[in-house]
Amino acid sequence: MTQKVAVLGTGKIGEALLSGMIRGGWAPSDLLVTARRRERAEQLHARYGVEAVSNAEAAKSADTLILTVKPQDMGTLLTELAPHVPTNRLVISGAAGIPTSYFEERLAAGTPVVRVMTNTPALVDEAMSVISAGTHATGAHLTRAEEIFSGVGKTLRVPESQQDACTALSGSGPAYFYFLVEAMTDAGILLGLPRDKAHDLIVQAAIGAAVMLRDSGEHPVKLRENVTSPAGTTINAIRELENHGVRAALIAALEAARDRSRELASGNG
């Protein structure tokens, strides 16, 4: 891994990506970072041994630029970068909702752009990073993006037209599980359990169920049926979930998240 990579606007996700790359074998000498505040840049240098530079310096010297600033700050960053980004630079965007065409219009003609939607489990190396190619990005560019983001979890290639759906399922997905755990913990308290015990029970059930889904190869219906005895406790709970329209509510919620992602991509924020 001899190519230089720069992480621009290194916040929590950017730092998680940086640390994941180092654990994955990238040399700190091949990594650059930029940060808005000088203290933050110095902190990253002290913590990881990477060089902190300006955005312009990163654009001039790195082979790959990973833009991790907030979506509302992306236009300003691109205005600063555009004079310094040659067409052989790979630009990876981690900004939710912004299409590759936005970058292609603001950078030199022919600049390869890859769009990546990751999620907050990147902080514990369990992210799902969804990768899409822009007009000028090749298979080699997608492979480079996968090499970078595999340090913080799994990667998946999709056409860019599917990014909004992936944002609804995966980008926002952790929040749905936190919401579910919150509701189930409250139910445990209602049933007479202390909050800490209810929390521990639900979290471990979620971890165990997720591992079984990942490792068993079984369809979730099959795994659910294995827990559901005739006339037992689980089927009574499932009946109530169906009576209250939980399945329909989840579908409607994900459709709403997808539609909002489309609105943000079109600039109707």
Side-chain angles (χ1 to χ4, degrees), residues 1-5 20-31 63 147-148 150:
M1 299 178 184
T2 57
Q3 293 193 331
K4 278 195 177 292
V5 175
M21 292 173 68
I22 293 173
R23 288 192 302 277
W26 294 76
S29 58
D30 292 329
L31 301 173
D63 301 287
E147 290 172 350
I148 292 169
S150 63

Side-chain angles (χ1 to χ4, degrees), residues 176-188:
Y176 313 145
F177 286 94
Y178 301 145
F179 182 86
L180 182 61
V181 168
E182 178 188 359
M184 293 178 73
T185 300
D186 287 344

